Amino acid sequence: MARPGTKADRLAKDFAAGQVLFGAEPTRLASSGSSAEASVLTAPSPEELFLENIPASHRRQYGQFFTPRPIAELMCEWLAIRQPATLLDPAVGPGIFVRTLRERGVNGHLTAIDKDPLAVTAFRQSMARQKWLDNLQIHQVDFLRWDSSEKFDAIIANPPYVRHHDLHYGEDIFAKIGQRSGVALSRLTNIYGLFILEICRRLKPGGRAAILVPGEWLNANFGVPLKRHLLQHHLLKHLVYFSHAESVFPDVLTTASLLFVEKSAGGEKVPGKLSGTTPMVLDSERETDGAVKTIFVHSAQSLAPLRETLFAAQPSSLSSSPSPSLTIRTLPHAILLEQGKWNALLEHGPTTLPVGFVYLEELATTRRGIATGANQFFHVSREALRSAELSDDIGRPCVGRAADVEGYRFTLADLEKLEARGKRTRLLHFHDPLTTAARRYVEEGVRLGLPKRYLLASRKPWYAMEARPPSPIWAAVFGRKELRFVWNEAGVQNLTTFHCVYPHALTSLQSQALVACLNCTWMQQLAAEQQRVYGGGLLKYEPRDLLRIPVPDLRHSSNETLNSLVELSDSLSAARGNPPLCHTVQQQLRTAVDQAAREAAANLASS
Ligand SMILES: C[S@@+](CC[C@H](N)C(=O)[O-])C[C@H]1O[C@@H](n2cnc3c(N)ncnc32)[C@H](O)[C@@H]1O
């Protein structure tokens, strides 16, 4: 319910007093030929009225992002073809899907659900205006707690998108919903993942669903059991992935995906036995004999080719493309099940580890950088360290910002330059017994309320810093065009702006050559499978993702090749900001990486 006195609360009272705030679809109100037509045609839609009238904080709380009309059309078409007798929209909002379905002449019995009383009012008012209240049931309820055993011929949804730490369910909703479908869900599963499972469960045999969700689940670890479930039960027929969703979904800075689901007429297929060793390996042939049509949308200038592709009578060939903005594949379940992350698979197709390459995990371990819990307090400049009379063994050298590291090698001279510019380069590691100056500093932290902060409250004492050796290699957590790896020649610590890479099977020269390989553009394309792509093309790796990057097995490289890789890495640093020169060095780097892989392959062949 809206909190008393808020704008949402006043609006709710307006509704209760019978005031109609949410109009109907403009085209429906138009009286042809009248002079009022032009103004009516430009009348705002129920979604626009909702956005105008309802505060952003309220919309955020309920995860309210509305589906653009062309996408709603596409989704409704998947359902309308079957003329379903019963339909469900479990997150109806102002009701774009219901209006689109009714306009298409789908007259089956419709159940509409929304948890938000304001959304329900908006929807009811727009339906009343259209005189579409017949054959329609509206429930103001949380779909995830909906106490009904009803199943449907068709379900359409754009579920709410709410970050998992903003979810406030008292019970263990993940276990409960997971159990109903026999899926072990991570507690990091976004609410839309729970909706996907519940929607599939509530489909009748032969029923269809169209679901619009962000694209992040395709590469995130929490998506793995969901994907397995969809494949094992042969539910997923088509999957569309929008790599730059902002061109289709204004105001939403994320990727997006569309799931076209169909439950086989005999009900869900029973999955075969899973092998005990790795969750992605299956004993049963049955689960791997299907395929999913996948469409990677590079730019959504026109949705027309997408529509044609989706609803073409003939299945497309393994990889074809009627438009340069789409990559279409028919991917067998076996391949999809093998791969935990799907973005690159949908874009580039299946890849195998090239000869002479190993995954990084054979050569190194990874960890995230140090999380201080209060950077301003714990990460300070050398001057601040001195003026607080803290000693150098308390304030240890540490890099906190990616922008403070320029190229692919960080030296003591670079650290000195940062210190001369007054940058924050010292991380405070207090140890007992505290000196007088240290106690004074810590007491200031208490005065600022730091011991109550999320991360610090769990530390004992609250000012104890994470202890870990400096890592020889850093991996930038975010990047726009490239992900940057840095040789930490200075041997200093790093905060979470970089992940730590600790080579465990390499000499110093091999480790430096590894940095060169990791920064090779061609290698990064191979590694793309491990990247999480955020809105606006922002690239991101998690520490665990790094372990699956393919790299040449440098343990078998000649010194000549290793030295040449290291030199090229320095040339690449020097070429930063000069794209033609970078391009030339990148080409040389690729040749050197190839050479390293050939040497590893030759070693393998001779052993
Ligand atoms: C992303 S909006 C989609 C609205 C509309 N279907 C559309 O596509 O434009 C999600 C809707 O789900 C509602 N919602 C949020 N949490 C819910 C829940 N647990 N159960 C049912 N509805 C919920 C929100 O109020 C919001 O109207």
Side-chain angles (χ1 to χ4, degrees):
M1 279 306 274
R3 267 181 291 124
T6 59
K7 186 169 179 191
D9 178 52
R10 287 194 296 281
L11 285 164
K13 286 186 178 135
D14 286 345
F15 299 146
Q19 283 193 29
V20 175
L21 292 184
F22 299 101
E25 203 69 339
T27 45
R28 291 251 148 199
L29 288 173
S31 56
S32 88
S34 82
S35 58
E37 185 175 357
S39 64
V40 171
L41 274 171
T42 56
S45 67
E47 283 72 24
E48 286 165 331
L49 286 169
F50 198 90
L51 292 173
E52 263 170 37
N53 285 294
I54 305 300
S57 55
H58 179 90
R59 286 186 269 119
R60 236 188 340 268
Q61 182 193 344
Y62 285 96
Q64 291 168 336
F65 299 95
F66 302 133
T67 309
R69 169 63 78 151
I71 299 287
E73 295 274 1
L74 200 68
M75 294 167 72
C76 289
E77 187 160 348
W78 173 249
L79 308 185
I81 294 166
R82 295 283 178 92
Q83 278 298 331
T86 54
L87 299 99
L88 168 71
D89 182 340
V92 73
I96 180 107
F97 294 136
V98 177
R99 298 198 307 282
T100 310
L101 286 164
R102 288 294 193 237
E103 281 163 20
R104 285 176 165 270
V106 176
N107 289 318
H109 182 271
L110 227 145
T111 302
I113 290 180
D114 204 293
K115 184 176 165 187
D116 175 17
L118 298 187
V120 167
T121 306
F123 175 63
R124 185 171 280 126
Q125 289 184 355
S126 96
M127 289 291 110
R129 280 276 186 105
Q130 306 275 26
K131 306 205 176 356
W132 273 339
L133 286 172
D134 288 350
N135 228 4
L136 174 67
Q137 213 165 12
I138 306 174
H139 300 289
Q140 190 227 308
V141 64
D142 182 336
F143 175 57
L144 300 177
R145 295 179 193 275
W146 189 33
D147 188 15
S148 153
S149 54
E150 235 178 303
K151 299 213 169 175
F152 299 86
D153 297 312
I155 306 182
I156 191 159
N158 170 4
Y161 174 74
V162 185
R163 288 177 313 167
H164 75 271
H165 35 266
D166 292 335
L167 278 183
H168 301 295
Y169 286 97
E171 69 211 83
D172 191 352
I173 197 92
F174 303 96
K176 192 166 176 182
I177 292 203
Q179 262 162 26
R180 283 185 202 152
S181 298
V183 178
L185 287 177
S186 149
R187 289 186 65 87
L188 297 181
T189 309
N190 196 287
I191 186 171
Y192 66 77
L194 305 179
F195 267 71
I196 293 176
L197 272 190
E198 278 297 275
I199 288 169
C200 292
R201 191 177 69 83
R202 286 182 181 276
L203 272 184
K204 282 185 187 167
R208 280 186 164 192
I211 313 170
L212 168 62
V213 289
E216 111 216 88
W217 72 290
L218 296 174
N219 260 26
N221 294 329
F222 79 76
V224 172
L226 290 174
K227 288 183 285 192
R228 259 172 80 202
H229 178 77
L230 292 170
L231 297 176
Q232 286 170 359
H233 294 269
H234 287 236
L235 288 158
L236 190 60
K237 297 298 164 205
H238 307 323
L239 176 64
V240 180
Y241 176 76
F242 295 90
S243 61
H244 288 93
E246 62 274 20
S247 56
V248 193
F249 307 92
D251 307 329
V252 182
L253 188 78
T254 105
T255 52
S257 61
L258 278 174
L259 285 72
F260 293 89
V261 167
E262 187 175 311
K263 197 176 264 186
S264 64
E268 285 186 19
K269 294 203 175 183
V270 181
K273 196 158 65 72
L274 291 175
S275 114
T277 48
T278 137
M280 299 305 285
V281 178
L282 302 164
D283 290 343
S284 160
E285 278 288 297
R286 203 152 31 119
E287 291 161 319
T288 58
D289 61 7
V292 178
K293 187 197 279 185
T294 66
I295 303 174
F296 188 97
V297 183
H298 299 267
S299 77
Q301 262 124 31
S302 160
L303 289 174
L306 176 57
R307 199 197 142 271
E308 274 164 36
T309 310
L310 267 175
F311 301 114
Q314 293 301 315
S316 69
S317 60
L318 192 74
S319 175
S320 60
S321 202
S323 148
S325 63
L326 307 177
T327 300
I328 303 152
R329 298 177 196 282
T330 302
L331 290 173
H333 284 181
I335 289 178
L336 288 163
L337 282 162
E338 256 173 30
Q339 309 269 337
K341 297 172 193 287
W342 285 6
N343 288 2
L345 186 60
L346 268 50
E347 185 176 9
H348 304 295
T351 51
T352 47
L353 199 58
V355 183
F357 279 71
V358 290
Y359 288 114
L360 183 62
E361 65 194 344
E362 270 202 45
L363 307 180
T365 55
T366 57
R367 245 182 120 172
R368 68 161 171 71
I370 296 175
T372 67
N375 281 1
Q376 295 287 344
F377 182 80
F378 287 111
H379 192 227
V380 300
S381 67
R382 188 171 53 184
E383 286 72 49
L385 186 78
R386 297 208 170 136
S387 64
E389 295 171 4
L390 297 171
S391 58
D392 277 0
D393 73 312
I394 291 181
R396 298 186 205 159
C398 175
V399 161
R401 296 169 63 234
D404 286 347
V405 178
E406 274 169 11
Y408 304 102
R409 176 189 291 271
F410 186 79
T411 64
L412 282 173
D414 294 324
L415 178 70
E416 186 49 47
K417 268 191 240 160
L418 290 178
E419 304 218 303
R421 281 160 51 208
K423 297 281 185 179
R424 294 194 286 138
T425 52
R426 299 300 178 119
L427 182 63
L428 304 183
H429 290 260
F430 293 106
H431 41 80
D432 287 329
L434 292 177
T435 60
T436 312
R439 179 165 305 110
R440 214 172 30 238
Y441 196 89
V442 164
E443 278 165 5
E444 178 59 12
V446 173
R447 199 186 62 73
L448 294 170
L450 299 185
K452 295 201 188 82
R453 284 220 188 159
Y454 174 66
L455 208 57
L456 303 181
S458 61
R459 292 195 177 151
K460 285 197 178 40
W462 67 269
Y463 51 82
M465 189 50 60
E466 288 183 41
R468 71 184 57 173
S471 67
I473 300 174
W474 296 331
V477 175
F478 286 106
R480 281 254 159 233
K481 294 198 186 102
E482 54 155 18
L483 281 167
R484 191 156 55 110
F485 294 84
V486 177
W487 174 245
N488 174 17
E489 185 180 299
V492 304
Q493 292 187 309
N494 60 288
L495 301 187
T496 51
T497 188
F498 290 109
H499 295 315
C500 307
V501 181
Y502 296 97
H504 55 60
L506 301 179
T507 64
S508 168
L509 181 63
Q510 287 167 338
S511 301
Q512 290 181 62
L514 177 64
V515 172
C517 295
L518 289 165
N519 283 315
C520 172
T521 313
W522 173 68
M523 286 268 322
Q524 296 211 348
Q525 282 160 4
L526 272 184
E529 188 188 308
Q530 300 310 323
Q531 288 165 359
R532 290 156 204 246
V533 184
Y534 285 70
L538 193 63
L539 303 173
K540 187 182 182 197
Y541 278 116
E542 295 296 340
R544 229 182 339 160
D545 302 336
L546 296 169
L547 297 174
R548 299 294 292 172
I549 297 179
V551 290
D553 190 348
L554 297 169
R555 292 171 296 189
H556 307 297
S557 300
S558 63
N559 274 353
E560 191 188 344
T561 302
L562 295 172
N563 280 316
S564 134
L565 281 165
V566 175
E567 274 168 32
L568 285 167
S569 186
D570 288 335
S571 306
L572 201 59
S573 279
R576 271 169 82 85
N578 179 345
L581 188 55
C582 270
H583 180 71
T584 308
V585 180
Q586 279 290 354
Q587 280 177 327
Q588 294 166 344
L589 196 51
R590 172 160 185 186
T591 309
V593 169
D594 270 346
Q595 175 61 21
R598 264 200 303 276
E599 288 172 2
N603 185 280
L604 204 70
S606 67
S607 62

